[in-house]
Amino acid sequence: MGAVTITEEITSPIPAQRLFKALILDADVIIPKIAPQAIKNIETIEGDGGPGTIKQMNFAEGSHFKYVKHRIDALDKEKLTYAYTLIEGDALKDKIESISYEIKFEPSPDGGTVGKNVSTYHTKPGVEVKEEEIKAGKEQAAGIFKAVEAYLLANPDAYV
């Protein structure tokens, strides 16, 4: 099994604690609410929301994919870190065993957020994943991030 790792950095004018609350802690509620055209719902399959919890994200009708399941590996509300692994679903296709994500939000000097995301694509034996294949998933994730950010900018009293 091979691995491809991609590190990204994002910035946002939203304070780190507020962005973490909305995008990580309340993702099950906020993402289907503000992006129903992309995400139908997110349901907890097992667990209490902490490490070991399994969640299933069901995509909206007309999407390229039906669902993905992910396992929460780590969650630190104080340090604003979150790690999870996509473990099942048609988005993994026949090339990828799993995708691990490590996310960290830090306050930026201007009162916003600097976010770091390390994604590791664990491929099946003998399979090579092309950058274009990864790019599509990254673009959808960026779209959801921007939708949450726009919601928070438009609703300054939400998630404070």
Side-chain angles (χ1 to χ4, degrees):
M1 177 167 70
V4 176
T5 300
I6 297 174
T7 302
E8 299 172 294
E9 187 171 286
I10 53 104
T11 58
S12 173
I14 306 295
Q17 187 74 38
R18 187 169 173 232
L19 191 59
F20 190 83
K21 277 185 197 175
L23 195 61
I24 305 299
L25 300 180
D26 203 34
D28 300 9
V29 175
I30 194 171
I31 292 173
K33 176 180 173 180
I34 62 172
Q37 72 285 0
I39 307 298
K40 181 178 174 183
N41 62 22
I42 302 171
E43 53 190 322
T44 299
I45 305 297
E46 65 180 67
D48 61 4
T53 297
I54 305 290
K55 294 189 177 195
Q56 180 169 312
M57 178 184 293
N58 297 301
F59 295 98
E61 297 264 336
S63 174
H64 296 296
F65 308 117
K66 291 185 190 219
Y67 78 97
V68 292
K69 282 186 184 176
H70 70 268
R71 177 189 64 238
I72 298 173
D73 300 319
L75 176 63
D76 189 323
K77 298 174 189 176
E78 303 301 315
K79 293 181 180 174
L80 306 181
T81 60
Y82 179 61
Y84 68 100
T85 303
L86 283 185
I87 56 172
E88 184 182 314
D90 50 357
L92 295 175
K93 303 184 180 177
D94 56 352
K95 296 182 175 189
I96 300 171
E97 288 285 340
S98 65
I99 308 170
S100 300
Y101 300 91
E102 293 177 25
I103 299 167
K104 180 173 180 60
F105 289 167
E106 296 177 331
S108 61
D110 64 1
T113 301
V114 174
K116 293 181 180 144
N117 179 20
V118 178
S119 307
T120 304
Y121 294 74
H122 303 277
T123 59
K124 293 184 177 179
V127 173
E128 188 177 321
V129 178
K130 293 182 173 59
E131 201 168 312
E132 308 87 65
E133 295 172 301
I134 292 172
K135 194 175 180 184
K138 291 287 179 194
E139 286 173 1
Q140 184 175 11
I144 290 172
F145 175 85
K146 288 296 180 190
V148 171
E149 182 181 68
Y151 175 83
L152 294 173
L153 286 169
N155 296 277
D157 295 331
Y159 299 98
V160 289

